[in-house]
Amino acid sequence: MRGRHRDWFGGAAWGGFGPGGWSGFGWGPSQGRGGFFRPGEVRLALLSLLSEGEAHGYELMKRLEQRSGGVYQASAGTIYPVLQQLEDEGLATSETRDGKKVYRITDAGRAELARESEAVEGIWHRAGRWREWGAWMGPETAEVATAVGRVIKAAFRAAAAGGPAVAEQVEGILERARRELDDLRRA
């Protein structure tokens, strides 16, 4: 089982738009909706978290959730196999304390993080963007997300089909809508 994120971000309501989709906007994984991490990134994220201090699997799952503002909810089926992989690679070690397996990064793990520092920075930068979106998203905004997805698709279709003059008109329509929405928020 893979980690999951809440549907109102990258699911059908958004049509893949949002921090979990359309990576061309710099928000999310290139595979689009359904994935928070790109291949190999859970491994690096866990190593990064272990570099901050030892932890057991459940703690690491909670840290990943916190880093994403609650959007990414790691499953045991995602985390524990990766932790085992890190041990197999010699990048982490574990010991059992009070009935819990506690993981710690090794020197080889720190060297791996140094080699992959740019990728790790990208992971946490993207997680921060998810966290920003998470502050506004919730059950009360799920229906709005559906409408936003439809508006975005219509705007892109119109702009693509109509040339520069139509694209300018679309931009004006969207800007007026943004101003009206801001006025609602302030009311």
Side-chain angles (χ1 to χ4, degrees), residues 21-148:
W22 292 6
S23 61
F25 288 93
W27 286 337
S30 59
Q31 72 248 35
R33 57 179 197 215
F36 183 86
F37 288 107
R38 295 178 180 128
E41 286 187 341
V42 172
R43 176 180 168 276
L44 291 174
L46 290 176
L47 267 180
S48 175
L49 292 174
L50 288 173
S51 74
E52 297 169 2
E54 60 185 34
H56 57 76
Y58 179 74
E59 287 174 315
L60 293 167
M61 288 169 36
K62 295 311 284 178
R63 287 183 195 173
L64 285 173
E65 186 175 343
Q66 289 169 346
R67 285 278 181 105
S68 73
V71 175
Y72 179 77
Q73 298 172 344
S75 68
T78 298
I79 299 304
Y80 288 105
V82 175
L83 288 170
Q84 183 61 55
Q85 176 189 359
L86 292 173
E87 283 192 282
D88 293 346
E89 294 175 7
L91 304 177
T93 61
S94 68
E95 65 181 78
T96 302
R97 284 192 224 143
D98 299 324
K100 294 179 183 177
K101 203 169 186 182
V102 178
Y103 297 87
R104 180 175 46 256
I105 193 169
T106 64
D107 288 341
R110 290 185 195 288
E112 176 74 1
L113 277 180
R115 277 190 300 277
E116 297 290 342
S117 62
E118 191 173 311
V120 171
E121 183 178 320
I123 291 167
W124 299 132
H125 177 75
R126 191 171 65 245
R129 288 188 176 191
W130 281 74
R131 193 172 42 251
E132 290 170 17
W133 277 77
W136 302 305
M137 299 303 288
E140 66 281 352
T141 59
E143 293 301 318
V144 173
T146 301
V148 168

Side-chain angles (χ1 to χ4, degrees), residues 5-21:
H5 63 83
R6 298 197 175 136
D7 194 285
W8 53 75
F9 280 95
W14 281 92
F17 185 79

